[in-house]
Amino acid sequence: MRRITGKAKDETLIELQSATDSQTGDGPAVLTAFRINLHSDENNGNGVPLPERTSLPGHAETDKLQPNRDTVFFRDGVRRIDFVLSYVDDKDGEKKQERRREFEANLEKAGLELETEDKSDSKDQKTYFLKIHAPWDVLATYADILKIKVPFKESDIPHGQDVPFEWLSRPFRLPEHIMHPAPDYFTYPFDKTKTDFFLISDKDTFFPPSTRNRIVFYILARCPYYKEGRIDKEKTGIKRLLSNGTYTSAFPLHDCRYWKRARNAECESERYNLYRHWARFLCFYKEQPLNLIRKYYGEKIGIYFAWLGFYTEMLFFAAVMGVICFTYGVLSYDDNISSKEICNASIGGSILMCPLCDKKCPFWRLNSTCLSSWQSHLFDNEGTVFFAIFMGIWVTLFLEFWKRRQARLEYEWDLVDFEEEQQQLQIRPEFEIRCTNRRLNKITKEMEPYLPVTSKCARFCLSSATVLFWISLIVACIIGVIAYRLAVYAAFASIIKDPKRKIQVVSRFITPQLATSVTASCINFVIIMILNFFYERVAVWITDMEIPKTHLEYENRLTMKMFLFQFVNYYSSCFYVAFFKGKFVGYPSNYTYMFGKLRNEECDPGGCLIELTTQLVIVMAGKQLWGNIQEALLPLMRNWWSSRKGRHNPENHYSRWEQDHVLQNFGQLGLFYEYLEMVVQFGFITLFVASFPLAPLLALCNNILEIRVDAWKFTTQFRRPVASKARNIGAWQEILNAVAILSVVTNAFIMAFTSDMIPRMVYLYAYGHGMRGYINNSLSIYNISRIPESNMPEDKDYLSDNSTTCRYRDYRYPPGHEKEYAHTMQFWHILAAKMAFIIIMEHVVFVVKFFVAWLIPDIPSDVKARIKRERYLIQGELHDYEVERLKMQLSASFITEPQSEMSLTTDKHEVLSECL
């Protein structure tokens, strides 16, 4: 192995990035760079024989076929592979070869060590693999730059306290070495000048693989590939090289195959442990190994799974309460007097209802809606009010307890002092490349790139206009679906209600309202999926156009754009059914029309709540089903298709980098879509939960599956992501808070205006003695002879009994009254009761919410105490370390000074020691 000595002056990556052509340094630096071209023989590129490996029991055949292939080390078996780049030769090879040559030369100047696998060693005979190793000097330099926390003393604080009845949770717990894969240490940001302060027993293993690949990717993202002496900011970073096809992929390696431990005892086999104890569906009832997830994938992915697991745990309580509410509706089935009256042949069968549409809809009997009235009672009963209030409090408890869980994770994962400002060190390479203007940073006093205000405003206006256009497109689609509902309702009514069609058996179970609602919901779901597909790409494009400065800013902007769009896209149809349908119908001879032709649809005599339930179930369940199919089947099919190309041998005949190369790439926005899916689901179970108490149960079942599908996907179907830090869930926290507040308002309005609860309560306590007669009281009378010909049905068979009046759902005076067809006093009493209910419910829930938020501290008291103790210990340890180091320096200077000055130096040493 030959060493290449670098220039006499330091020439680091940061200097290559600076605006100046060159920088000077005081001390010499030696840059070691290894580059070995590996061929199919057993020697390395310099003729040095490779060390032989002894085969493990049961692996003799594999070792004979491909010695040292399934490994995460270079051919010398010592240096670990921190990153892998792949590329192929093609028709545009000369330009790409030149880029690769310059890029790899600059990587070597930055101190990275390279090793190439020739295409003749790959099974497809086309792909080259460039393996990258970061030596200690590079890791130490960039750990100092990135302020990575490392251990300096073993913690004396126990993991947790004894919990009463702990034996009850044992079946749900994982082994201790899985839950706590590494000892707990007190940590401090790494300082290259104080390496003896930290617990460094082995430099090769001091930085874990996740930290190593994070540092290497930081270098790759900022390394230029232009020739020496030329400065071209456009030619910088691995992302640009991937986009122009110079390299086909860039990824860190998994440490082993997921179904089998690594052969090399030096490998941690963490992927295997994750698959065995976390990613299999049979482990669905077990806790998640969050510390191991964080150690292997980084804090950002660890926080996501911690949040998803906590959300699922809290859903259990909401699901139990929803099942209790639904059970109450089932058990009170026989006490539902309103449904009994509707189904009674002498009551509901004698009430002739006015046509629900013009021309095609006949007069109909009230008892034809018998089944739908029973269905409405399951969700629209007294328990629903209690459940709506409970969910308003539950969402507050969820958010407050998550803050506490998050604070505990911040302490345990060394994120307490990790400020978002530190991510300014991680400015997006795209921002550095595209922003050519420079200005002085008032804090750092260094020149930095910036985007002029005029350019920023122009980009913001274009971005806002694009978002508004797409939201307008959603609204237009919703109006189209509403027009569909109004147009096809008449067709369904003429078919289902027509006695000549001989479908009376079906008409007992399917009403025109139900048929219209189901088909419209399905069409709406398809439109939602199509709009999502296109808008996701538009949102990424306009966010790229805005050129955010940091990765955090980029994600926050994209988050707000995507959620705003998803909010309108997914929830607009539910808002229509909940708050607009049946509210602006009018009455016979004075109906309101959409576009002057389509008559507004009415609610079922049992209310619109059952239709809101139908809409919610179809959109929510359909989205979850489609999401799981996309997440599970698509990566599996893609990996199968990729792996079958050029492969004719079992998996274990291929190298570790080839096995990972065929896996799917986990993009920068991969976690963003996972959060988005769950937050949209959170909106469904909070904003409209009053219409469907079983929504939390549906979400709970989905999330139990979601955790294991995501775990399986990360562990088996995706390449290992580059580790990154995050102390919280970012902008999603504020979105959840906003949805929680809005949910109180929406559920109050659903109970007041969509549910039939308030009119029933007003009738019970103000107008009647019990619920008998409520149905007759809630229907107004209209004289058939006064219905215009344009509203009359073409088929008048239902008038064979010589009926002169029909009924419609409203509170209006009957014909002949001095105020005929004007709203009755009962209508105003009900409206006042609805407004009073909204005000009381909102204030009660908000008072309880804010009281609970005030009562529960965001940071647990024991975590505060631990943070203070750790800071105290850090100060003490640093003080002692500096004193000892200063003493050693003084002692060294005392030995080297001339004899004539020894007495004076001794006096100085004693005085300084006394001061310290």
Side-chain angles (χ1 to χ4, degrees), residues 315 318-320 322 387 391 620 685 689 692-701:
L315 273 177
V320 169
F387 185 65
M391 286 301 294
M620 180 180 174
I685 68 162
V689 73
F692 187 46
L694 294 181
L697 178 63
L698 193 64
L700 175 64
C701 296

Side-chain angles (χ1 to χ4, degrees), residues 862-873:
D862 64 313
V863 172
K864 287 182 180 178
R866 292 183 181 191
I867 293 173
K868 290 179 181 178
R869 170 165 172 73
E870 184 165 341
R871 287 175 176 167
Y872 168 77
L873 288 174

Side-chain angles (χ1 to χ4, degrees), residues 23-163:
Q23 289 190 12
T24 60
D26 297 328
V30 177
L31 297 174
T32 46
F34 295 85
R35 181 175 181 82
I36 305 167
N37 289 319
L38 302 178
H39 303 286
S40 56
D41 55 11
E42 293 183 353
N43 296 342
N44 63 12
N46 300 296
V48 180
L50 293 171
E52 293 182 1
R53 290 282 188 90
T54 57
S55 61
L56 296 176
H59 299 282
E61 182 181 354
T62 303
D63 291 344
K64 287 179 182 178
L65 287 170
Q66 293 291 346
N68 303 330
R69 296 285 285 169
D70 191 15
T71 179
V72 293
F73 293 95
F74 274 21
R75 283 290 181 93
D76 58 15
V78 176
R79 292 171 294 160
R80 189 182 186 106
I81 302 171
D82 296 315
F83 229 87
V84 174
L85 308 182
S86 68
Y87 60 91
V88 295
D89 286 333
D90 52 25
K91 59 184 180 180
D92 193 22
E94 292 185 5
K95 291 183 179 179
K96 293 179 180 178
Q97 284 180 11
E98 180 65 23
R99 293 186 199 125
R100 285 194 292 266
R101 188 160 43 247
E102 296 298 332
F103 184 69
E104 291 165 17
N106 287 328
L107 290 179
E108 289 176 342
K109 290 178 182 178
L112 297 179
E113 300 171 2
L114 311 178
E115 189 175 78
T116 303
E117 287 282 349
D118 192 76
K119 66 179 181 179
S120 61
D121 292 330
S122 63
K123 293 305 174 182
D124 61 4
Q125 301 292 305
K126 297 178 182 179
T127 307
Y128 293 86
F129 291 96
L130 178 68
K131 298 175 288 185
I132 302 174
H133 168 76
W136 168 257
D137 288 341
V138 174
L139 294 173
T141 299
Y142 284 93
D144 194 348
I145 293 172
L146 297 174
K147 305 299 179 186
I148 293 174
K149 286 190 172 184
V150 294
F152 70 90
K153 182 180 180 180
E154 191 163 353
S155 174
D156 57 358
I157 301 175
H159 283 306
Q161 302 174 347
D162 293 334
V163 180

Side-chain angles (χ1 to χ4, degrees), residues 372-373 376 380 513 581 583 602-612 753-756 760 809:
S372 65
S373 68
S376 296
D380 189 6
Q513 290 93 336
K581 183 181 177 182
K583 308 299 185 295
E602 301 180 36
C603 287
D604 193 90
C608 272
L609 195 71
I610 189 64
E611 293 190 45
L612 178 59
F753 288 99
T754 309
S755 168
D756 211 30
R760 288 201 297 264
R809 183 182 169 84

Side-chain angles (χ1 to χ4, degrees), residues 429-471:
E430 295 86 349
F431 184 84
E432 294 177 322
I433 293 170
R434 298 175 66 179
C435 296
T436 56
N437 297 310
R438 300 263 168 177
R439 67 180 176 187
L440 184 68
N441 188 310
K442 296 180 180 179
I443 299 173
T444 63
K445 298 300 181 182
E446 295 178 358
M447 298 300 291
E448 64 175 11
Y450 79 101
L451 192 65
V453 175
T454 53
S455 177
K456 190 179 294 185
C457 291
R459 294 171 187 274
F460 176 77
C461 292
L462 180 59
S463 174
S464 301
T466 306
V467 174
L468 288 175
F469 168 77
W470 278 86
I471 290 178

Side-chain angles (χ1 to χ4, degrees), residues 291-351:
N291 289 317
L292 185 57
I293 298 169
R294 172 246 181 170
K295 184 171 182 259
Y296 192 74
Y297 290 115
E299 288 81 0
K300 193 170 186 178
I301 291 177
I303 282 285
Y304 164 72
F305 280 103
W307 176 80
L308 180 57
F310 182 77
Y311 172 46
T312 305
E313 291 172 13
M314 291 296 291
L315 273 177
F316 173 78
F317 302 101
V320 169
M321 195 58 63
V323 170
I324 292 174
C325 178
F326 180 76
T327 304
Y328 172 79
V330 174
L331 295 179
S332 60
Y333 200 72
D334 294 333
D335 299 330
N336 183 13
I337 297 176
S338 299
S339 295
K340 288 182 177 179
E341 290 186 348
I342 291 175
C343 298
N344 192 307
S346 60
I347 301 176
S350 63
I351 296 177

